[in-house]
Amino acid sequence: ELAAGTQFLLPKRFGGSLGGGRAGMAAPSCTASSCAHCGTRSETLRRCARCKEVSYCGADCQKKAWKAHKNSCEEPPTPAQLEHLKDVMQKQQQKDMELRLRDMEVSRAAAAGSSRAAQGDRGGEKNASSRSRRATRCG
């Protein structure tokens, strides 16, 4: 089970967040035409094989940049994984909605119960005073 408000962050090219308000991961600051490590501009750069978000001029730059890049490097989810995440999120949203509706019903019932109880107390006072009047008439 997922906690309410759980966010699934995906790269923006996959639609960003599946959980609502927060955006997905930020796009890399470099363009596809410059090396993410040394900044060399070229049309023959090679993309990271795992995330395909950043490009490098060669294996040497990729190795040097790996320590900084590895924390943000994520393999893109497969279409099946995306569908599963969407299904999980829809089920969680349905549960959240059911809980909110139930909480609203409980709150309404409690408010109605407290107003009835307040009316009952006043009614009890009236009944007690009318009984005492009847008692004095009969006696």
Side-chain angles (χ1 to χ4, degrees):
E1 292 299 311
L2 298 172
T6 299
Q7 297 286 319
F8 291 99
L9 297 180
L10 301 172
K12 286 186 179 182
R13 70 176 185 273
F14 295 105
S17 173
L18 287 178
R22 286 180 23 199
M25 293 176 3
S29 59
C30 64
T31 64
S33 61
S34 63
C35 176
H37 179 68
C38 68
T40 301
R41 292 187 171 272
S42 173
E43 295 298 320
T44 59
L45 298 176
R46 300 184 68 175
R47 290 185 175 240
C48 173
R50 186 175 184 202
C51 70
K52 298 175 181 43
E53 287 284 319
V54 295
S55 299
Y56 300 100
C57 54
D60 189 45
C61 279
Q62 185 175 10
K63 286 178 187 176
K64 290 176 183 175
W66 177 243
K67 190 173 184 178
H69 175 63
K70 70 179 175 182
N71 293 328
S72 63
C73 185
E74 294 180 0
E75 191 169 346
T78 65
Q81 289 171 325
L82 285 174
E83 282 302 312
H84 174 71
L85 290 174
K86 287 178 185 177
D87 290 343
V88 167
M89 287 304 301
Q90 287 173 349
K91 288 177 185 174
Q92 187 64 41
Q93 288 171 346
Q94 180 67 32
K95 285 181 183 180
D96 290 347
M97 182 61 71
E98 290 170 2
L99 287 173
R100 280 189 225 121
L101 289 173
R102 189 182 73 197
D103 288 346
M104 288 171 49
E105 290 170 0
V106 168
S107 296
R108 285 182 188 151
S114 65
S115 66
R116 282 190 212 124
Q119 290 172 354
D121 289 344
R122 281 185 259 135
E125 291 169 9
K126 290 178 185 176
N127 289 338
S129 62
S130 64
R131 273 185 287 213
S132 65
R133 276 187 253 137
R134 274 188 244 141
T136 56
R137 287 184 201 156
C138 297

